[in-house]
Amino acid sequence: MTRQSQYCTFQLGPLFLGVEVAKVQEVIRHQQITRVPLAPPEMRGLVNLRGQIVMAIDLRRRFEMPDRAATQLPTNVVLRTDDGAVSLLVDEIGDVLTVAEDLFEPSPETLRGIARELVRGVYKLRSQLLLILDTEKVMQIPAQATVRTH
Amino acid sequence: MSDLDDVVKEFLVESHENLDRLDRELVALEKDPTSRETLGSIFRTIHTIKGTCGFLGFGKLESVAHVGENLLSRLRDGHLSLDAERTSALLAMVDAVRTMLSSIESSGTDGEQEYKTLIETLSRLQEKKAAAEVPPATTATLSAGTGSAPPEAEPAAAAAAASAGVTETTIRVDVGLLDKLMNLVGELVLARNQILQLTGSQKDPTLLGTTQRLNLITSELQEGVMKTRMQPIGNVWSRFPRVVRDLAISCGKKVRIEMEGNETDLDRTIIEAIKDPLTHLVRNSVDHGIETPDVRTKNRKPAEGRLLLRAYHEGGQVIIDIVDDGGGIDPEKVKRKAVERGLITPAQAQRMGDRDAVNLIFLPGFSTAERVSNISGRGVGMDVVKTNIEKIGGSIDIQSKPNEGTTVKIKIPLTLAIIPALIVTCAGDKYAIPQVSLLELLRLEGEHARKGIEFIHGTPVYRLRGRLLPLVSLSRELGLSDGTFPSANAHGECEAVNIVVLQADDRTFGLVVDGINDTEEIVVKPLGKQLRAITVYAGATIRGDGRVALILDVMGIAQRGGVISESRERTPQELEAEAENTQTTVHTLLLCSAGDKRRFAIPLSHVARLEEIQTSDVESAGGIEAVQYRGQIMPLIRLSSFLGCESAPDGDLLQVVVYSRGDRSIGLVVESILDIVEETLAVRGRAFRRGMIGTAVVQGKATELIDIESVISSIDPTFLGECAAVAVGP
């Protein structure tokens, strides 16, 4: 029997993405977000997670996708990191999938742009492809030269 | 430490406390060798340690403590008197005991090290000199013969009796537990705030009553839990007498340390944070501040230097003063050094006041010590001290008078976890501003809002009680508006302008916000790694409605808004502000010099601004020197040539006193701005030439008072007249 792994899956635009279950602290519905001016646009703001303040990263913006419609509320996938919890804003949460390791394959060389950086590899599921997110890379948002107004 | 049983743990904790006290008491004893009370207390401490470690089987520790105890018992019984050598030996014993205790803590045994020499020294000190010092030799041999057992019994019993009372009223609590309690109380405060907001709109009297009680109880609980984490500052200070003594001996100096306000309470986290900076400052004072005895005697000061540590509460903050009566800091030397190291330019140094110069020592890479000692003076120090103090929301300031001494003033908050803050609105979001930085709130309405804010080349300012307050727009600094100012005017109509007057370092500035809400106690939570790089935020908090609000870092905002420049020069207005704090009946005068070192005074109320103008910017218009200033041509009057005295050749910069009437300005070129002083004016001499009101004594020197209006009208008679016409006009 081949080794298996569990992934928490979610939908982001056309992408079907997954994160190792062990890294996910919890999944919560949309929360009110306090924006943080001067922060990179990927950082949508701060969320109150039962008294804990958590940074929310918009995965759509991280993947350089257009913003979701104002009516479509994102879901928070809260990840455990060394530097406290971080929330990823995704379109829709999916199931926890158990997948066999031999279905895994690294991203093809032809994958370009931001996806090459953020996707660690692919599971070839029967119905579709499951892209595995490199959470470390997702957190490393390039510091932008904040534009001084004067 | 995990494999140690509770008895040993208890012993270690207790012994460490006792040793700290021993250090203090031994130094105190050296001052007053006859104090039987202190001696008795020291004896009991060592006796307790000896007894317990014998019981626990730490033989080496026991043997060291034993000889120490013997020496102490003879001292206590008056057979021997304490001198520096014996004190040093006893302190060395305390150190040895401490080393063994930490070894017990880490490895469970009292270590490999042998303490033969120490034991020998201690035994020698109680034997040899005893015979030499105590006149009736028989008594000495007799008491040596009878041994130390009988005298021990009585104080030990006394110690037990004394400590019984203490143990019943205090218990040891794990600090982790207190921290957890503190966090929980923080959450409770938030929940309380939420409930208060919810019930604000309710009418039910029972609910309101209950809420009221919840409110009170929460506040009291918060206060109580905060107190549990409070420690007297004396806990940090207790080691300073020892530090000072050792350092003074190694530098060949005599220093007496005095401490006031030992019982001043501070939050545990703050105590931890100030420990190192304080030690550094104390060491600095002894090493660099206080002079050697012969220098002191030469300067007609007592040979023994005095170092005073003083702590007290003031306005919700704790102030710690470190005062020495040493040589003080020579501002000229500091300036020279700073120029040498390229920290400031010679021009800056020339214009810098003494107080600013002294504070240059906080710049990174600065050290004035002529010789680098192994204790301090490597140029990594004062800037680190400053950073560490500022990290916990404190501030540090140095005042120094050559040959009289130096005072370092540290201001620190009582606690870090919960702080009062002002909530403001900006572009629809709420932000919290820590109350410590808040000076006052201004609201300009209607006409005032439109006219009150003036612009200097696009930079907004507001005249606050005669001084220019630089304005910073929060929404603009946060990149939330396009930079039009004031933002309240964005809708084309004139709304009220809200200004929060803030203090950043020694600067005052006005932060323009969309709305001012309320003050709240907020629980400070740190921001994640990703946001720490943005300096305008100090953290975040959860407000009563459950939403997250960012806490503004006033220093960061000031820096971003350009209020604090790198060079940190202070404007005359600020110097004036300081001088103005005291009273109002006297005149504030601007002192300047022109020509052959003559001093002139101009009433500051006539001065709009002090400017420095590049000599190269001076143009000639219609035979008069002029510069472009705020989009206009400003004529310049050279005071020295007006008064017909010799003038020094121009440097790169001209010092210009700007006088404004309406929208016109005229500049008075002086040689240098000396000072701004407050004086009750008594005009002595009558004016004997045009442009003068008369002569007065200012700062003990004859100073001519300038009648600025007559100076101006003699150059440009239309200036005053025209403006008057404008003022009277439509």
Side-chain angles (χ1 to χ4, degrees):
Chain A
M1 189 184 148
T2 54
R3 280 180 44 224
Q4 292 187 320
S5 310
Q6 281 196 313
Y7 288 94
C8 171
T9 65
F10 46 86
Q11 198 71 39
L12 187 79
L15 303 180
F16 183 53
L17 292 163
V19 174
E20 289 88 336
V21 158
K23 286 187 182 164
V24 179
Q25 180 180 318
E26 61 190 302
V27 175
I28 46 170
R29 62 183 169 78
H30 173 67
Q31 298 281 307
Q32 219 159 19
I33 296 175
T34 301
R35 65 174 162 172
V36 181
L38 306 179
E42 292 91 339
M43 299 189 184
R44 281 308 278 267
L46 300 170
V47 173
N48 172 11
L49 186 72
R50 294 185 307 279
Q52 191 188 2
I53 293 175
V54 171
M55 181 77 215
I57 296 175
D58 193 330
L59 217 48
R60 266 184 176 259
R61 289 192 179 172
R62 194 72 184 92
F63 269 94
E64 295 168 2
M65 291 181 190
D67 279 359
R68 55 185 76 77
T71 48
Q72 195 191 350
L73 292 178
T75 300
N76 291 276
V77 177
V78 184
L79 304 183
R80 287 187 198 95
T81 75
D82 297 339
D83 192 49
V86 173
S87 168
L88 300 182
L89 299 182
V90 305
D91 290 357
E92 221 169 298
I93 192 73
D95 295 326
V96 172
L97 294 183
T98 307
V99 291
E101 272 307 311
D102 54 4
L103 294 178
F104 185 79
E105 205 170 294
S107 311
E109 295 297 319
T110 47
L111 185 65
R112 293 282 167 85
I114 190 75
R116 158 127 224 117
E117 209 181 296
L118 301 181
V119 174
R120 200 158 54 76
V122 180
Y123 282 95
K124 297 155 287 178
L125 305 187
R126 204 168 302 150
S127 54
Q128 58 184 330
L129 295 175
L130 172 64
L131 312 181
I132 301 307
L133 208 57
D134 186 333
T135 50
E136 302 276 306
K137 292 267 172 60
V138 170
M139 308 290 171
Q140 289 165 15
I141 296 171
Q144 294 181 322
T146 41
V147 187
R148 284 187 70 98
T149 42
H150 54 93
Chain B
M1 186 143 172
S2 53
D3 52 342
L4 294 184
D5 53 30
D6 289 345
V7 187
V8 179
K9 264 189 218 168
E10 189 92 336
F11 164 67
L12 285 173
V13 172
E14 199 181 280
S15 302
H16 277 300
E17 272 172 21
N18 287 339
L19 288 175
D20 286 345
R21 201 175 65 226
L22 266 188
D23 269 347
R24 207 165 53 231
E25 284 176 344
L26 279 171
V27 176
L29 194 65
E30 198 181 16
K31 299 256 150 55
D32 179 16
T34 52
S35 165
R36 300 192 54 111
E37 202 179 305
T38 321
L39 258 177
S41 162
I42 295 172
F43 177 82
R44 282 197 294 275
T45 311
I46 290 292
H47 179 74
T48 313
I49 292 178
K50 189 198 88 170
T52 322
C53 63
F55 171 70
L56 292 172
F58 298 117
K60 225 176 271 174
L61 181 53
E62 189 191 0
S63 60
V64 172
H66 178 72
V67 281
E69 185 194 356
N70 281 350
L71 177 55
L72 279 167
S73 92
R74 316 235 14 210
L75 288 167
R76 188 198 52 184
D77 296 343
H79 297 308
L80 294 176
S81 67
L82 193 69
D83 53 19
E85 198 187 355
R86 289 198 177 108
T87 313
S88 293
L90 285 171
L91 286 171
M93 176 201 69
V94 173
D95 282 344
V97 171
R98 196 172 270 143
T99 316
M100 283 185 272
L101 284 176
S102 45
S103 154
I104 291 173
E105 199 169 335
S106 56
S107 66
T109 68
D110 46 7
E112 300 298 315
Q113 212 177 325
E114 296 291 338
Y115 296 92
K116 279 210 180 89
T117 13
L118 177 64
I119 294 176
E120 273 164 23
T121 315
L122 284 168
S123 333
R124 178 175 57 82
L125 285 172
Q126 61 168 312
E127 291 304 332
K128 197 183 83 192
K129 287 203 179 169
E133 271 178 24
V134 181
T138 43
T139 332
T141 38
L142 187 72
S143 63
T146 47
S148 48
E152 262 171 38
E154 173 215 345
S163 63
V166 180
T167 44
E168 275 161 23
T169 55
T170 59
I171 51 165
R172 278 186 221 285
V173 181
D174 183 35
V175 169
L177 178 64
L178 289 181
D179 286 349
K180 199 173 161 203
L181 274 179
M182 191 68 195
N183 281 339
L184 285 172
V185 167
E187 292 305 313
L188 184 64
V189 167
L190 291 176
R192 187 261 323 253
N193 291 352
Q194 250 162 326
I195 297 263
L196 282 181
Q197 274 191 358
L198 288 176
T199 50
S201 52
Q202 305 284 321
K203 293 243 155 49
D204 184 350
T206 334
L207 179 63
L208 289 179
T210 319
T211 316
Q212 192 59 34
R213 262 188 57 210
L214 175 70
N215 187 8
L216 279 176
I217 294 170
T218 311
S219 302
E220 266 181 45
L221 183 65
Q222 181 191 341
E223 210 172 294
V225 172
M226 294 237 289
K227 269 192 195 143
T228 61
R229 288 171 31 119
M230 294 290 199
Q231 286 185 330
I233 196 162
N235 285 11
V236 187
W237 283 1
S238 60
R239 58 185 184 151
F240 287 160
R242 173 80 193 271
V243 169
V244 168
R245 179 189 182 273
D246 289 356
L247 189 53
I249 288 176
S250 75
C251 304
K253 294 176 182 179
K254 283 188 175 170
V255 183
R256 171 166 45 102
I257 185 164
E258 286 173 23
M259 300 189 273
E260 285 175 20
N262 271 323
E263 66 294 340
T264 310
D265 281 336
L266 273 175
D267 194 274
R268 200 183 63 81
T269 44
I270 293 185
I271 292 260
E272 282 301 313
I274 59 167
K275 215 181 231 173
D276 290 342
L278 273 185
T279 313
H280 193 94
L281 290 170
V282 165
R283 281 166 169 268
N284 253 348
S285 282
V286 177
D287 198 23
H288 301 313
I290 290 170
E291 316 92 321
T292 47
D294 45 321
V295 174
R296 289 183 65 90
T297 335
K298 213 186 289 165
N299 291 334
R300 290 193 215 133
K301 290 202 263 190
E304 187 182 48
R306 172 169 172 264
L307 178 67
L308 170 69
L309 297 176
R310 186 168 49 202
Y312 51 98
H313 289 274
E314 195 180 273
Q317 283 184 306
V318 172
I319 316 251
I320 303 172
D321 291 341
I322 298 160
V323 187
D324 71 56
D325 65 348
I329 302 170
D330 182 358
E332 291 308 319
K333 204 154 102 188
V334 172
K335 281 189 204 169
R336 224 168 32 236
K337 208 86 169 189
V339 173
E340 251 170 52
R341 311 234 157 154
L343 300 169
I344 55 168
T345 66
Q348 280 176 326
Q350 208 188 338
R351 278 176 277 125
M352 192 171 275
D354 285 357
R355 216 180 118 115
D356 284 355
V358 168
N359 279 288
L360 282 177
I361 62 168
F362 289 119
L363 290 179
F366 190 93
S367 173
T368 50
E370 261 143 27
R371 76 210 145 73
V372 170
S373 66
N374 60 350
I375 301 117
S376 39
R378 281 197 215 90
V380 284
M382 290 308 264
D383 62 313
V384 177
V385 168
K386 190 179 167 82
T387 332
N388 284 343
I389 301 271
E390 279 171 359
K391 225 182 259 167
I392 54 164
S395 64
I396 183 165
D397 183 51
I398 288 198
Q399 281 174 319
S400 180
K401 280 192 182 154
N403 205 26
E404 279 179 37
T406 308
T407 300
V408 181
K409 197 182 263 296
I410 301 174
K411 289 185 189 174
I412 37 179
L414 274 174
T415 177
L416 298 176
I418 299 183
I419 57 165
L422 177 77
I423 309 293
V424 298
T425 311
C426 174
D429 288 327
K430 303 275 195 286
Y431 295 89
I433 302 175
Q435 199 114 37
V436 276
S437 323
L438 185 66
L439 294 179
E440 61 182 303
L441 302 174
L442 300 171
R443 185 176 164 85
L444 312 181
E445 282 176 327
E447 185 80 337
H448 211 62
R450 206 168 20 144
K451 288 203 173 153
I453 294 176
E454 296 166 79
F455 293 86
I456 305 174
H457 197 76
T459 307
V461 291
Y462 175 73
R463 293 190 205 198
L464 178 63
R465 290 186 289 278
R467 286 195 300 278
L468 288 181
L469 180 74
L471 295 182
V472 173
S473 160
L474 182 59
S475 60
R476 181 174 151 169
E477 291 315 324
L478 295 182
L480 297 174
S481 70
D482 53 359
T484 49
F485 192 88
S487 55
N489 281 358
H491 312 289
E493 60 206 30
C494 208
E495 292 170 11
V497 177
N498 293 299
I499 303 174
V500 182
V501 184
L502 296 171
Q503 173 102 33
D505 223 354
D506 51 1
R507 304 280 174 146
T508 310
F509 70 101
L511 188 68
V512 178
V513 297
D514 296 349
I516 292 171
N517 298 65
D518 206 352
T519 54
E520 261 178 37
E521 298 267 298
I522 57 165
V523 179
V524 182
K525 309 221 170 193
L527 289 173
K529 183 173 66 185
Q530 304 96 333
L531 293 178
R532 247 166 254 156
I534 307 173
T535 53
V536 296
Y537 307 121
T541 188
I542 297 169
R543 298 200 49 240
D545 58 4
R547 291 199 62 169
V548 178
L550 287 159
I551 304 168
L552 297 177
D553 183 311
V554 173
M555 277 298 283
I557 297 258
Q559 264 155 7
R560 195 177 167 82
V563 177
I564 297 174
S565 57
E566 290 301 313
S567 64
R568 294 195 171 192
E569 286 175 56
R570 280 144 55 97
T571 63
Q573 281 87 347
E574 278 163 315
L575 294 171
E576 175 211 344
E578 239 162 57
E580 215 177 59
N581 280 337
T582 41
Q583 23 30 34
T584 49
T585 53
V586 294
H587 293 265
T588 311
L589 298 172
L590 176 74
L591 289 184
C592 48
S593 72
D596 31 84
K597 296 277 179 291
R598 274 160 56 184
R599 287 158 61 94
F600 298 95
I602 303 169
L604 202 73
S605 52
H606 290 176
V607 178
R609 273 191 74 83
L610 300 178
E611 290 287 356
E612 279 176 350
I613 290 170
Q614 298 279 338
T615 312
S616 53
D617 287 347
V618 178
E619 297 167 75
S620 181
I624 302 173
E625 285 186 309
V627 288
Q628 293 181 22
Y629 183 67
R630 298 195 200 184
Q632 290 197 334
I633 306 268
M634 177 171 76
L636 296 178
I637 302 174
R638 288 187 181 257
L639 197 58
S640 51
S641 54
F642 176 80
L643 298 169
C645 48
E646 263 181 53
S647 59
D650 288 346
D652 289 343
L653 290 170
L654 292 178
Q655 303 289 338
V656 179
V657 179
V658 179
Y659 177 82
S660 292
R661 260 295 181 92
D663 56 358
R664 294 188 55 183
S665 303
I666 204 160
L668 212 58
V669 181
V670 299
E671 198 169 281
S672 62
I673 307 285
L674 299 174
D675 204 351
I676 289 174
V677 293
E678 283 183 335
E679 286 281 351
T680 37
L681 273 187
V683 179
R684 301 275 168 89
R686 290 304 310 154
F688 44 88
R689 61 168 129 192
R690 66 193 174 111
M692 289 292 145
I693 297 170
T695 314
V697 175
V698 178
Q699 284 185 333
K701 287 183 184 161
T703 305
E704 296 176 65
L705 293 176
I706 292 177
D707 181 357
I708 196 159
E709 304 206 340
S710 94
V711 173
I712 290 167
S713 62
S714 70
I715 298 290
D716 182 1
T718 62
F719 181 80
L720 296 167
E722 258 180 31
C723 293
V726 169
V728 182

